[in-house]
Structures are given as C-alpha cells and as structure tokens.
Amino acid sequence: PISYVSSDDPPFLLVHGLKDQYIAPEQDDIFAARLTEAGVQNKIVHVQNAEHGLGSVDGEAAPSRVEVGKIIRDYIKEQLTK
C-alpha cells in the first residue's frame, strides 16, 4: 500500500497488535510517515499483547477489543465532522 499513497487518500486509522508475527509494528511508523508527507490525516493505535488479528497473546490486549471499537467509531465520527 505504501507505493500507492497520494494526497487524495482518505484518512487512515492504523490499528496494529504489537505481537504481530506477520507484519512488524515498525511498518506503521513508516506508512504513517509517508501518509503525513502526502498530507493525509492518520493515526496509529498500537495494541499491547495482541497478534495480527488483535487476538490476545501473553496477557490481556490493551486497549481491549471493546476499546479499539470505540477508538474506531470516534475516529470515524471525528473525520466526518471536519
């Protein structure tokens, strides 16, 4: 996706489990930096003790799935009221 970033992209909310075995969480920072360079609104939410699908690993995920759902809803509302 980073190859296709352009200034007309919609806002991005990146939610990533920090124990993801497939995609390194550092990739969020690289992608977010490219979005910011293009002038695209973005936000990163890293989830402690969560894997790729946000399932818990080695303890409870934080923020929890319920909290992540609220973060997503709030972000969408925020973007729609701009």
Side-chain angles (χ1 to χ4, degrees), residues 4-5 8-10 13 17 24 27 38 41-42 44 46-47 58-59 63-64:
Y4 301 102
V5 170
D8 62 345
D9 286 344
L13 175 62
Q27 293 294 316
Q41 171 72 32
N42 65 86
I44 300 173
H46 283 140
V47 182
D58 299 329
S64 69

Side-chain angles (χ1 to χ4, degrees), residues 33-65:
R34 181 70 59 90
L35 290 167
T36 299
E37 287 171 11
V40 177
Q41 171 72 32
N42 65 86
K43 177 180 178 178
I44 300 173
V45 176
H46 283 140
V47 182
Q48 300 289 327
N49 299 322
E51 60 186 0
H52 188 73
L54 300 184
S56 296
V57 178
D58 299 329
E60 290 188 36
S64 69
R65 284 184 182 228

Side-chain angles (χ1 to χ4, degrees), residues 1 9-10 13-14 17 29-30 33 35 39-40 50 52-53 55 57 60 62 65 67-68 70 73 75 78 82:
D9 286 344
L13 175 62
L14 307 168
D29 298 325
I30 296 166
L35 290 167
V40 177
H52 188 73
V57 178
E60 290 188 36
R65 284 184 182 228
E67 292 166 326
V68 168
K70 182 177 181 339
R73 288 188 301 278
Y75 188 77
E78 175 187 324
K82 285 187 173 186

Side-chain angles (χ1 to χ4, degrees), residues 11 73-82:
R73 288 188 301 278
D74 290 347
Y75 188 77
I76 292 169
K77 286 177 188 175
E78 175 187 324
Q79 296 308 313
L80 290 174
T81 58
K82 285 187 173 186

